[in-house]
Amino acid sequence: MKSEGNYLYRTYKRMSDIGTWQSITDAYVFIGLVSFAFNFVLDSLGYLLACYSMGARFTLIVHKMIPGQSAIFLFFIVHLLLSTIAVTYCITRLYNKVINKPVFDFKTELAEMARHELSDYFVSGKMSQPFRDPTSPISWTDQVKFYVDTASVDKYLDELTGCFNRKYFSHKLISYMDTQRIVKNRYGSDIQRYGDDLYGVFMIDIDHFKSINDVYGHAMGDVVLKSVGKLLRETVGDNGVVIRNGGEEFVIVYLAKFPFDFSTVAERINQAFRDSIKVPSSGGIKGRDVTCSIGFVSYPFFDGAEHVFGLKEHVDLSDMAMYVSKTTGRDRWNELKATRVPTDKIDKSMYLNSPEYGLKRGYYTLRDREGEHTSIMNN
């Protein structure tokens, strides 16, 4: 019963939003209902006026009507049905000719222009709406925007890994995230509530990648990068976007719902590398496993602060946490957690690039699999 109710509700939402109609049948049903309601009101008023002019009592019960009143009542019933059918047919045909068919043809043409190995990844809305709920209806405007994005995907695609590139990060994602932050600051609350959006910013670096290029060759290094890009996209799925930051570094911006521990994502990525990313034996050289080092922070870094860093600064913070993972053994993750909002007197460059600087002054702590630390733990 609950599933039937959800289906009816989704159908109602889709029907009431013209931009998400899925077929001409949707148009017939919606326009028919609106036309029926409109004509019903007009015919009811007409019947009421006719009853008044005849000196008859307004009634819908035939045997209580005076002579002639039942004929007028039948006339309005027939008029209601015929006018609803006629208006629905004419408006729907006009809608199909002027709007529906041209939009459908335009989308089909754009889809052909956007034909690409990874077109489904972008047509799904990742570029314009990186955290869109895949179960939500897509309006015509959204569909056209997605196809236009896909037609120009080469600007924002790293061809080797299939992930977004730094141009996408600077031209699209920063603007999107800043908009989300401004909206939350204006209409949201400093207190996190169950189900509120949470973001995690991750920096992933392939361990000993230079030695892969040196020992196995750059062609094998490219194979590893391609495999890593595919693995990260599949691991993140609809919950985030993956950007190749350059070389062997990848940035992930991940969306979750409060409460959520982003270390579960880091653990999943670490384990996925161990399970799936391998350098095969080649030319008498024994193959090897490939691991990664991860650093991440929550976005925004400070809870309830009037001033927060932008997305770029969050990447710098996660890069700093990743550096700690590199220097303390690799194949692990570290989270940087804010403990207090920095004062105006901080050295911003040191704050964003030297973990010792912030740890020593108590601006943030480090968390790894063993717990929270106020200094870099070598193990």
Side-chain angles (χ1 to χ4, degrees):
M1 189 69 182
K2 184 178 180 181
S3 61
E4 293 175 356
N6 290 336
Y7 171 77
L8 292 175
Y9 176 74
R10 290 195 304 270
T11 301
Y12 166 75
K13 291 291 290 182
R14 177 169 57 82
M15 294 296 298
S16 61
D17 186 352
I18 297 175
T20 60
W21 286 351
Q22 296 177 355
S23 68
I24 197 67
T25 303
D26 286 348
Y28 271 114
V29 172
F30 181 81
I31 295 173
L33 290 174
V34 172
S35 176
F36 178 84
F38 182 74
N39 285 314
F40 178 81
V41 171
L42 288 183
D43 285 342
S44 296
L45 291 175
Y47 176 62
L48 179 63
L49 183 61
C51 291
Y52 176 78
S53 63
M54 294 175 63
R57 184 166 62 92
F58 180 85
T59 180
L60 302 179
I61 303 174
V62 176
H63 70 269
K64 291 186 177 181
M65 296 178 181
I66 65 174
Q69 187 179 6
S70 59
I72 294 175
F73 176 71
L74 180 62
F75 167 79
F76 280 111
I77 292 294
V78 173
H79 179 269
L80 171 63
L81 296 176
L82 293 180
S83 61
T84 297
I85 293 172
V87 170
T88 300
Y89 178 78
C90 291
I91 294 180
T92 304
R93 288 295 299 270
L94 182 64
Y95 154 79
N96 188 49
K97 183 175 182 180
V98 176
I99 299 176
N100 186 59
K101 192 173 185 305
V103 170
F104 178 80
D105 292 342
F106 180 51
K107 290 194 302 179
T108 302
E109 185 177 346
L110 283 173
E112 290 300 320
M113 291 170 57
R115 190 68 59 190
H116 191 281
E117 179 186 357
L118 294 166
S119 61
D120 289 343
Y121 182 62
F122 295 99
V123 171
S124 68
K126 279 287 186 182
M127 189 178 294
S128 295
Q129 298 180 16
F131 308 103
R132 187 187 66 82
D133 180 359
T135 64
S136 63
I138 304 175
S139 69
W140 296 332
T141 304
D142 289 336
Q143 290 180 52
V144 172
K145 186 187 296 183
F146 296 165
Y147 281 118
V148 170
D149 278 346
T150 309
S152 59
V153 71
D154 289 343
K155 290 194 303 184
Y156 302 114
L157 175 69
D158 177 67
E159 292 185 359
L160 177 62
T161 63
C163 303
F164 290 115
N165 57 24
R166 286 185 62 83
K167 182 177 287 188
Y168 171 78
F169 177 83
S170 59
H171 289 190
K172 292 272 190 176
L173 192 59
I174 287 179
S175 175
Y176 178 90
M177 295 298 291
D178 285 347
T179 300
Q180 297 297 101
R181 176 168 56 84
I182 291 170
V183 170
K184 180 174 176 57
N185 288 347
R186 182 173 299 175
Y187 302 107
S189 169
D190 291 343
I191 302 174
Q192 289 283 6
R193 294 182 174 86
Y194 185 84
D196 282 355
D197 287 346
L198 292 175
Y199 294 94
V201 180
F202 294 76
M203 176 69 79
I204 296 100
D205 186 271
I206 303 173
D207 293 331
H208 302 296
F209 184 73
K210 183 178 183 301
S211 69
I212 296 176
N213 281 331
D214 293 342
V215 175
Y216 300 91
H218 287 274
M220 183 56 68
D222 287 349
V223 171
V224 170
L225 285 171
K226 188 173 183 179
S227 299
V228 168
K230 185 173 184 292
L231 179 142
L232 292 177
R233 292 198 314 275
E234 291 175 348
T235 303
V236 169
D238 292 318
N239 294 103
V241 289
V242 184
I243 302 105
R244 185 183 179 192
N245 194 50
E248 67 272 26
E249 290 184 347
F250 294 81
V251 170
I252 291 174
V253 180
Y254 192 95
L255 171 65
K257 299 295 182 181
F258 181 83
F260 188 80
D261 185 351
F262 287 106
S263 68
T264 59
V265 179
E267 283 285 1
R268 195 159 71 240
I269 294 172
N270 273 144
Q271 191 60 51
F273 265 74
R274 299 183 201 112
D275 295 340
S276 304
I277 307 300
K278 316 284 183 183
V279 178
S281 300
S282 176
I285 305 175
K286 186 180 179 180
R288 49 168 282 193
D289 295 337
V290 179
T291 60
C292 69
S293 298
I294 302 172
F296 66 92
V297 297
S298 295
Y299 178 98
F301 194 51
F302 311 108
D303 291 329
E306 293 183 3
H307 169 73
V308 297
F309 292 133
L311 182 59
K312 184 179 182 302
E313 286 77 16
H314 282 74
V315 171
D316 291 337
L317 290 165
S318 62
D319 183 63
M320 190 161 54
M322 183 274 294
Y323 170 78
V324 174
S325 296
K326 281 284 190 188
T327 58
T328 56
R330 295 182 170 84
D331 187 23
R332 63 190 61 204
W333 56 264
N334 270 275
E335 178 188 13
L336 211 60
K337 300 185 69 175
T339 53
R340 64 188 179 96
V341 180
T343 64
D344 293 335
K345 297 180 180 180
I346 67 162
D347 184 332
K348 186 176 179 181
S349 176
M350 292 288 288
Y351 185 93
L352 296 173
N353 293 281
S354 172
E356 292 85 357
Y357 176 86
L359 290 169
K360 185 176 180 180
R361 288 160 178 78
Y363 288 127
Y364 40 71
T365 60
L366 280 167
R367 180 171 74 112
D368 59 16
R369 293 166 185 154
E370 306 301 322
E372 288 194 30
H373 312 286
T374 56
S375 62
I376 297 176
M377 306 295 291
N378 290 287
N379 50 27

